[in-house]
């Protein structure tokens, strides 16, 4: 089912930027993931049992599904069992696949062993076909089972489809060579990668917690980008975007982990967590509202324990029907 990406395959990216469909995976095995906590400083433990955590997480998940559907977004819920081992972070599917309007799905090598169990292309394709989408072509990037380098999809790559540009913060989870390989093969014109350093001294683990790009706006915690690279990133964004700079404290409230979508009527929405919404200033929210209706969602349990928020829970679906 899964074939390596042919070296001569170049899929030109369409100018459609805001997806009107998403894939979500319920947190049936959700709990604090010790493996990912090694470099994810956003994860925090709670004094709750695993059963209590999963109940809260499932309630937040299905509340989010219902809310997005009520706003006219097509949501495919991809469910699977734990027969192949627990998948505590399966609620964050955007880290292992991406889709394109050309009908392709790309699968990516994950850094943590227990996250590699999430990569189930047959289950994903079946769920998409049952939701009315054409059977996609499935490609893999690198070795998915025993990778020596990692590239965690739209967790580490922020895609500006309008300008055919990919932004990426380099880290253990974002290998520069794999990044360039994907950009070349998927038909993007430019990649802008950079180094980050948080106040702890560590790089940010995923670009999508510090940065989001919409059709006409960008949210970025530029203060954690190494100074000599910061201007290059901002200059690129400011050519076509309203740029909203957030602080590291706001990043910690997941203000960078937001996603612009569109509904069945073509109306723009910006999905974000309730904590992110509350952390944005009034002026920042005013600018964001020029680019879509703000949709705050309470996922406090998931984002506290999982170290990822609303954007991480959404696998954009650009596939044709």
């Amino acid at each position: 089912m899964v074939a390596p990406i042919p070296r001569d395959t170049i899929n030109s990216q369409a100018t459609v930027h805001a997806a009107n469909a998403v894939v979500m995976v319920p947190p049936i095995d959700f709990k604090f993931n010790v493996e990912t906590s090694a470099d994810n400083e956003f994860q925090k433990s709670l004094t709750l049992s695993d059963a209590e955590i999963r109940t809260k997480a499932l309630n937040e998940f299905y509340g989010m599904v219902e809310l997005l559907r009520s706003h006219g977004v097509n949501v495919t819920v991809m469910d699977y069992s734990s027969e192949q081992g627990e998948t505590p972070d399966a609620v964050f599917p955007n880290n292992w696949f991406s889709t394109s309007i050309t009908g392709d799905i790309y699968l990516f090598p994950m850094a943590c062993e227990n996250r590699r169990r999430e990569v189930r292309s047959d289950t994903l394709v079946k769920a998409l076909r049952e939701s009315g989408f054409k059977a996609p072509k499935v490609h893999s990037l690198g070795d998915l089972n025993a990778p020596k380098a990692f590239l965690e999809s739209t967790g580490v790559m922020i895609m500006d489809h309008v300008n055919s540009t990919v932004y990426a913060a380099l880290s253990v989870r974002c290998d520069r060579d794999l990044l360039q390989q994907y950009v070349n093969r998927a038909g993007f014109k430019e990649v802008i990668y950079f180094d980050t350093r948080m106040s702890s001294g560590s790089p940010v683990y995923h670009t999508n917690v510090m940065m989001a790009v919409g059709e006409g706006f960008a949210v970025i915690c530029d203060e954690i980008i190494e100074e000599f690279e910061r201007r290059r990133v901002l200059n690129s964004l400011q050519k076509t975007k309203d740029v909203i700079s957030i602080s590291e404290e706001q990043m910690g409230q997941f203000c960078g982990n937001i996603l612009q979508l569109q509904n069945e009527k073509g109306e723009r929405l910006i999905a974000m967590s309730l904590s992110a919404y509350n952390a944005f200033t009034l002026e920042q929210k005013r600018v964001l509202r020029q680019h879509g209706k703000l949709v705050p969602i309470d996922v406090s349990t998931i984002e506290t324990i999982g170290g990822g928020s609303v954007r991480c829970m959404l696998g954009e679906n650009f596939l044709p029907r």
Side-chain angles (χ1 to χ4, degrees), residues 55-71:
T55 297
K56 285 179 174 289
L58 283 166
N59 287 337
E60 291 173 2
F61 174 85
Y62 285 109
M64 179 169 165
V65 171
E66 183 179 349
L67 183 60
L68 289 174
R69 285 175 173 168
S70 73
H71 280 86

Side-chain angles (χ1 to χ4, degrees), residues 24-27 56-66 75 77-78 91 298-299 302 313:
M24 297 180 65
V25 180
K56 285 179 174 289
L58 283 166
N59 287 337
E60 291 173 2
F61 174 85
Y62 285 109
M64 179 169 165
V65 171
E66 183 179 349
V75 180
V77 175
M78 173 188 153
V91 72
D298 185 1
V299 291
I302 292 172
M313 296 170 66

Side-chain angles (χ1 to χ4, degrees), residues 95-116:
N95 297 148
W96 63 266
F97 78 89
S98 70
T99 65
S100 78
I101 200 167
T102 55
D104 296 279
I105 286 180
Y106 296 89
L107 307 179
F108 296 88
M110 307 279 282
C112 294
E113 184 177 356
N114 66 13
R115 295 216 63 190
R116 295 171 202 157

Side-chain angles (χ1 to χ4, degrees), residues 263-309:
N263 63 17
E264 56 196 6
K265 298 178 181 178
E267 298 166 334
R268 270 43 178 182
L269 311 167
I270 302 177
M272 64 182 67
S273 72
L274 182 60
S275 60
Y277 178 85
N278 289 335
F280 277 118
T281 67
L282 291 176
E283 175 59 18
Q284 288 170 337
K285 284 187 274 196
R286 184 193 68 79
V287 175
L288 284 172
R289 287 192 177 99
Q290 296 174 9
H291 301 279
K293 180 179 180 180
L294 306 190
V295 183
I297 308 165
D298 185 1
V299 291
S300 54
T301 306
I302 292 172
E303 66 185 3
T304 299
I305 294 175
S309 190

